[in-house]
PDB file of all heavy atoms in Angstrom:
ATOM      1  N   ASP T 836     -51.387  51.473  10.507  1.00 50.00           N
ATOM      2  CA  ASP T 836     -51.486  52.337  11.602  1.00 50.00           C
ATOM      3  C   ASP T 836     -50.465  52.073  12.809  1.00 50.00           C
ATOM      4  O   ASP T 836     -50.742  52.063  14.026  1.00 50.00           O
ATOM      5  CB  ASP T 836     -52.963  52.332  12.324  1.00 50.00           C
ATOM      6  CG  ASP T 836     -54.039  52.798  11.322  1.00 50.00           C
ATOM      7  OD1 ASP T 836     -53.689  53.591  10.426  1.00 50.00           O
ATOM      8  OD2 ASP T 836     -55.157  52.226  11.419  1.00 50.00           O
ATOM      9  N   GLY T 837     -49.215  51.889  12.290  1.00 50.00           N
ATOM     10  CA  GLY T 837     -48.221  51.715  13.288  1.00 50.00           C
ATOM     11  C   GLY T 837     -48.289  50.296  13.911  1.00 50.00           C
ATOM     12  O   GLY T 837     -47.526  49.984  14.965  1.00 50.00           O
ATOM     13  N   GLY T 838     -49.062  49.449  13.395  1.00 60.00           N
ATOM     14  CA  GLY T 838     -49.106  48.113  13.895  1.00 60.00           C
ATOM     15  C   GLY T 838     -49.940  47.904  15.182  1.00 60.00           C
ATOM     16  O   GLY T 838     -49.650  46.982  15.991  1.00 60.00           O
ATOM     17  N   ARG T 839     -50.952  48.785  15.252  1.00 76.00           N
ATOM     18  CA  ARG T 839     -51.809  48.742  16.592  1.00 76.00           C
ATOM     19  C   ARG T 839     -52.669  47.449  16.665  1.00 76.00           C
ATOM     20  O   ARG T 839     -52.980  46.975  17.665  1.00 76.00           O
ATOM     21  CB  ARG T 839     -52.728  49.931  16.667  1.00 76.00           C
ATOM     22  CG  ARG T 839     -51.929  51.211  16.956  1.00 76.00           C
ATOM     23  CD  ARG T 839     -52.819  52.314  17.322  1.00 76.00           C
ATOM     24  NE  ARG T 839     -53.845  52.592  16.173  1.00 76.00           N
ATOM     25  CZ  ARG T 839     -53.610  53.489  15.272  1.00 76.00           C
ATOM     26  NH1 ARG T 839     -52.388  54.120  15.224  1.00 76.00           N
ATOM     27  NH2 ARG T 839     -54.494  53.704  14.291  1.00 76.00           N
ATOM     28  N   ARG T 840     -52.972  46.896  15.550  1.00 83.00           N
ATOM     29  CA  ARG T 840     -53.842  45.645  15.456  1.00 83.00           C
ATOM     30  C   ARG T 840     -53.080  44.386  15.619  1.00 83.00           C
ATOM     31  O   ARG T 840     -53.672  43.275  15.732  1.00 83.00           O
ATOM     32  CB  ARG T 840     -54.728  45.699  14.224  1.00 83.00           C
ATOM     33  CG  ARG T 840     -55.644  46.846  14.183  1.00 83.00           C
ATOM     34  CD  ARG T 840     -56.448  46.855  12.942  1.00 83.00           C
ATOM     35  NE  ARG T 840     -57.375  45.633  12.825  1.00 83.00           N
ATOM     36  CZ  ARG T 840     -57.950  45.220  11.804  1.00 83.00           C
ATOM     37  NH1 ARG T 840     -57.806  45.924  10.559  1.00 83.00           N
ATOM     38  NH2 ARG T 840     -58.724  44.161  11.847  1.00 83.00           N
ATOM     39  N   ILE T 841     -51.792  44.434  15.487  1.00 85.00           N
ATOM     40  CA  ILE T 841     -50.973  43.247  15.453  1.00 85.00           C
ATOM     41  C   ILE T 841     -49.811  43.463  16.471  1.00 85.00           C
ATOM     42  O   ILE T 841     -49.096  44.355  16.415  1.00 85.00           O
ATOM     43  CB  ILE T 841     -50.320  42.949  14.105  1.00 85.00           C
ATOM     44  CG1 ILE T 841     -51.431  42.835  13.044  1.00 85.00           C
ATOM     45  CG2 ILE T 841     -49.388  41.657  14.117  1.00 85.00           C
ATOM     46  CD1 ILE T 841     -50.916  42.659  11.612  1.00 85.00           C
ATOM     47  N   THR T 842     -49.743  42.538  17.359  1.00 87.00           N
ATOM     48  CA  THR T 842     -48.612  42.628  18.493  1.00 87.00           C
ATOM     49  C   THR T 842     -47.809  41.353  18.328  1.00 87.00           C
ATOM     50  O   THR T 842     -48.291  40.386  17.944  1.00 87.00           O
ATOM     51  CB  THR T 842     -49.308  42.697  19.756  1.00 87.00           C
ATOM     52  OG1 THR T 842     -50.075  41.577  20.050  1.00 87.00           O
ATOM     53  CG2 THR T 842     -50.100  43.945  19.987  1.00 87.00           C
ATOM     54  N   ARG T 843     -46.542  41.469  18.776  1.00 86.00           N
ATOM     55  CA  ARG T 843     -45.613  40.376  18.770  1.00 86.00           C
ATOM     56  C   ARG T 843     -44.755  40.396  20.037  1.00 86.00           C
ATOM     57  O   ARG T 843     -44.407  41.542  20.534  1.00 86.00           O
ATOM     58  CB  ARG T 843     -44.718  40.442  17.586  1.00 86.00           C
ATOM     59  CG  ARG T 843     -43.949  41.732  17.447  1.00 86.00           C
ATOM     60  CD  ARG T 843     -43.087  41.822  16.269  1.00 86.00           C
ATOM     61  NE  ARG T 843     -42.001  41.059  16.218  1.00 86.00           N
ATOM     62  CZ  ARG T 843     -40.744  41.243  16.905  1.00 86.00           C
ATOM     63  NH1 ARG T 843     -40.778  42.420  17.774  1.00 86.00           N
ATOM     64  NH2 ARG T 843     -39.784  40.427  16.887  1.00 86.00           N
ATOM     65  N   GLU T 844     -44.351  39.341  20.603  1.00 91.00           N
ATOM     66  CA  GLU T 844     -43.573  39.325  21.819  1.00 91.00           C
ATOM     67  C   GLU T 844     -42.915  37.982  21.977  1.00 91.00           C
ATOM     68  O   GLU T 844     -43.526  36.942  21.568  1.00 91.00           O
ATOM     69  CB  GLU T 844     -44.475  39.606  23.025  1.00 91.00           C
ATOM     70  CG  GLU T 844     -45.698  38.611  23.275  1.00 91.00           C
ATOM     71  CD  GLU T 844     -46.477  39.006  24.403  1.00 91.00           C
ATOM     72  OE1 GLU T 844     -46.268  40.057  25.054  1.00 91.00           O
ATOM     73  OE2 GLU T 844     -47.335  38.146  24.855  1.00 91.00           O
ATOM     74  N   GLY T 845     -41.782  38.059  22.553  1.00 90.00           N
ATOM     75  CA  GLY T 845     -41.078  36.826  22.728  1.00 90.00           C
ATOM     76  C   GLY T 845     -39.508  37.051  22.876  1.00 90.00           C
ATOM     77  O   GLY T 845     -39.004  38.169  22.514  1.00 90.00           O
ATOM     78  N   PRO T 846     -38.739  36.118  23.398  1.00 91.00           N
ATOM     79  CA  PRO T 846     -37.291  36.311  23.673  1.00 91.00           C
ATOM     80  C   PRO T 846     -36.555  36.083  22.372  1.00 91.00           C
ATOM     81  O   PRO T 846     -36.985  35.687  21.370  1.00 91.00           O
ATOM     82  CB  PRO T 846     -36.961  35.192  24.692  1.00 91.00           C
ATOM     83  CG  PRO T 846     -37.976  34.205  24.321  1.00 91.00           C
ATOM     84  CD  PRO T 846     -39.203  34.803  23.923  1.00 91.00           C
ATOM     85  N   ALA T 847     -35.219  36.434  22.571  1.00 87.00           N
ATOM     86  CA  ALA T 847     -34.335  36.174  21.379  1.00 87.00           C
ATOM     87  C   ALA T 847     -33.985  34.711  21.254  1.00 87.00           C
ATOM     88  O   ALA T 847     -33.282  34.094  22.063  1.00 87.00           O
ATOM     89  CB  ALA T 847     -33.042  36.967  21.646  1.00 87.00           C
ATOM     90  N   VAL T 848     -34.550  34.131  20.256  1.00 86.00           N
ATOM     91  CA  VAL T 848     -34.375  32.652  19.862  1.00 86.00           C
ATOM     92  C   VAL T 848     -34.021  32.617  18.542  1.00 86.00           C
ATOM     93  O   VAL T 848     -34.672  33.120  17.686  1.00 86.00           O
ATOM     94  CB  VAL T 848     -35.656  31.769  20.247  1.00 86.00           C
ATOM     95  CG1 VAL T 848     -35.392  30.392  20.026  1.00 86.00           C
ATOM     96  CG2 VAL T 848     -36.063  32.073  21.737  1.00 86.00           C
TER      97      VAL T 848
END
Side-chain angles (χ1 to χ4, degrees):
D836 298 330
R839 288 191 299 271
R840 299 178 62 192
I841 303 175
T842 60
R843 55 184 290 283
E844 58 182 8
V848 179

